[in-house]
Amino acid sequence: MVFADREPDVEIDGPPRFQPGDKVVARLNVKNDGTYPGRDIGERLVHKGDVGYVRDIGTFLQQFYIYAVEWVDRGILVGMRARELNALDAVEKTEGAVK
């Protein structure tokens, strides 16, 4: 049985969605799950709508891409999944079409 909203089993079989230097926007709020040092668990690290830059690409469990995103206004670097990000120029094009 295949579910339409299920994530691909091995995301890294395809190319990364973002590249280092890409300007991205957070699609949702991201809280510290305990893996970000020096911050309380549950503390909000990234706010929906924050703008950042992809600095590096890694993998997790040989299955998913993890994008190291620098959130310049917050002065932090946070690992993010592709589903948590949008390319900023894609968002700007969509907003421009609405106007």
Side-chain angles (χ1 to χ4, degrees):
M1 182 183 309
V2 178
F3 296 98
D5 63 344
R6 186 171 172 217
E7 292 186 78
D9 291 335
V10 183
E11 182 180 295
I12 65 171
D13 282 346
R17 190 176 308 168
F18 306 104
Q19 294 298 317
D22 284 356
K23 194 173 184 180
V24 294
V25 63
R27 294 183 60 217
L28 40 91
N29 296 316
V30 175
K31 295 180 181 180
N32 184 13
D33 62 1
T35 59
Y36 196 91
R39 301 285 178 103
D40 292 333
I41 293 175
E43 181 178 345
R44 190 176 296 173
L45 301 173
V46 179
H47 294 250
K48 180 178 180 179
D50 282 354
V51 175
Y53 296 88
V54 175
R55 292 294 174 220
D56 197 9
I57 304 169
T59 60
F60 179 66
L61 299 175
Q62 298 178 346
Q63 186 173 7
F64 304 108
Y65 288 111
I66 300 295
Y67 301 90
V69 179
E70 182 177 358
W71 303 100
V72 180
D73 291 344
R74 298 201 177 281
I76 60 173
L77 188 70
V78 178
M80 307 279 290
R81 296 276 311 275
R83 67 181 182 193
E84 299 171 317
L85 303 167
N86 277 330
L88 188 61
D89 46 332
V91 172
E92 290 171 346
K93 287 178 187 174
T94 303
E95 289 175 355
V98 173
K99 293 179 182 178

